[in-house]
Amino acid sequence: MHNYNFIYKKLYEHYGPQGWWPADTAFEMMIGSILVQNTNWRNAEKAVSRVKDYLKPEIMDYLPENELAERIRPSGFFNIKAQRVKSFLEWFRRYDYDVRQVMQMDSNYLRQELLNIKGIGSETADVMLLYAFDKPIFVTDAYARRIFYRFGYDMPETYDGFRSEVEKHMSNELNVFQEYHALLVEHAKQICKKRPLCEVCPLNTVGEQRLN
DNA sequence: CGCCAGGGCCATA
DNA sequence: TATGGCCATGGC
């Protein structure tokens, strides 16, 4: 009763490779992950494009918070997000803004480091780990929960419990986890519009047991 | 016009 | 631990 691999394959066959995260550098990816919080990607992307001249940590660190906020306005919550970007930079500075240095850290330790930054919660931390620091982990966001729940999975209550449960049954491949999260997000957009059951849903053959 | 999107913090009970 | 309010833009 844990064919997470099977669901992955069905989604992949149907939607194809998603190519997440769309960013030129790891730093850009991490900025994007903060700007996209509770916001659609179009708005976040627009905000990222408005700080294109500042997409190096040592440069953005010198940009005053109020100017940063003004630039990222399209992403919404711009004052709070400017603040969050600043606290992230403050942390990143302690590692010389060096992605490769940070990547050497143990996955769990690094995750805790990120969670200690004000404005970075479990989901933002996980996508950073997955797409910027190349850590093969499963992102257990609301979408993943919703989709698995629909298929009757008996899921652990806690965020970490669910995460390790899925990871236990998956091969530890970075690319697979990167695609899986993207595919679940893509699929979530589709199924919500097609209640109660979508006839072209690639997961229909899995056997949906619960709704909601 | 209202709704919500690739969240997270904080106050309250 | 678990809700509820708050932050705010742009597309539909």
Side-chain angles (χ1 to χ4, degrees):
Chain A
M1 198 55 177
H2 41 65
N3 44 1
Y4 298 106
N5 260 307
F6 184 66
I7 288 187
Y8 170 74
K9 283 176 186 167
K10 300 297 286 185
L11 290 175
Y12 189 87
E13 286 167 9
H14 190 263
Y15 296 108
Q18 301 297 302
W20 272 28
W21 191 289
D24 291 334
T25 63
F27 180 68
E28 179 182 337
M29 181 274 145
M30 294 191 281
I31 296 304
S33 73
I34 294 173
L35 298 186
V36 79
Q37 288 173 351
N38 202 40
T39 304
N40 58 63
W41 178 247
R42 294 181 63 90
N43 286 15
E45 192 176 33
K46 193 172 298 181
V48 171
S49 74
R50 286 168 56 110
V51 290
K52 230 177 184 60
D53 295 336
Y54 302 89
L55 283 180
K56 287 173 182 283
E58 58 272 13
I59 294 177
M60 186 174 285
D61 213 355
Y62 277 103
L63 185 62
E65 191 173 312
N66 60 329
E67 290 182 29
L68 176 61
E70 194 53 41
R71 285 185 174 275
I72 65 174
R73 178 180 280 273
S75 69
F77 303 147
F78 52 89
N79 286 316
I80 286 195
K81 284 177 179 176
Q83 199 172 304
R84 292 179 179 180
V85 167
K86 281 299 180 182
S87 24
F88 167 72
L89 283 168
E90 190 180 332
W91 170 82
F92 200 29
R93 192 190 315 138
R94 296 207 294 273
Y95 294 97
D96 306 321
Y97 310 120
D98 188 357
V99 174
R100 303 181 66 177
Q101 180 182 336
V102 174
M103 283 173 65
Q104 306 304 315
M105 285 187 242
D106 168 74
S107 179
N108 289 317
Y109 181 82
L110 175 54
R111 186 165 190 274
Q112 199 52 54
E113 281 275 287
L114 293 171
L115 290 177
N116 288 339
I117 302 170
K118 185 174 295 184
I120 294 186
S122 50
E123 192 175 334
T124 306
D126 282 349
V127 293
M128 283 185 180
L129 287 167
L130 182 59
Y131 297 106
F133 299 119
D134 291 348
K135 302 294 186 184
I137 62 156
F138 181 76
V139 181
T140 52
D141 61 350
Y143 286 162
R145 286 184 161 280
R146 190 188 310 166
I147 292 169
F148 286 142
Y149 182 75
R150 282 167 61 88
F151 291 93
Y153 285 102
D154 194 17
M155 298 182 309
E157 279 66 27
T158 67
Y159 189 100
D160 286 328
F162 182 29
R163 191 162 60 92
S164 57
E165 176 65 18
V166 177
E167 289 173 3
K168 193 168 65 178
H169 298 295
M170 299 281 299
S171 59
N172 212 32
E173 296 174 54
L174 174 64
N175 189 52
V176 170
F177 283 113
Q178 289 180 332
E179 286 296 332
Y180 208 162
H181 174 59
L183 286 165
L184 286 169
V185 172
E186 179 59 29
H187 184 62
K189 294 177 184 171
Q190 308 290 334
I191 63 176
C192 294
K193 300 172 184 170
K194 296 166 182 173
R195 298 286 190 178
L197 197 61
C198 170
E199 56 282 352
V200 300
C201 173
L203 296 184
N204 275 351
T205 56
V206 176
E208 190 165 11
Q209 297 179 13
R210 297 179 199 169
L211 292 178
N212 183 45

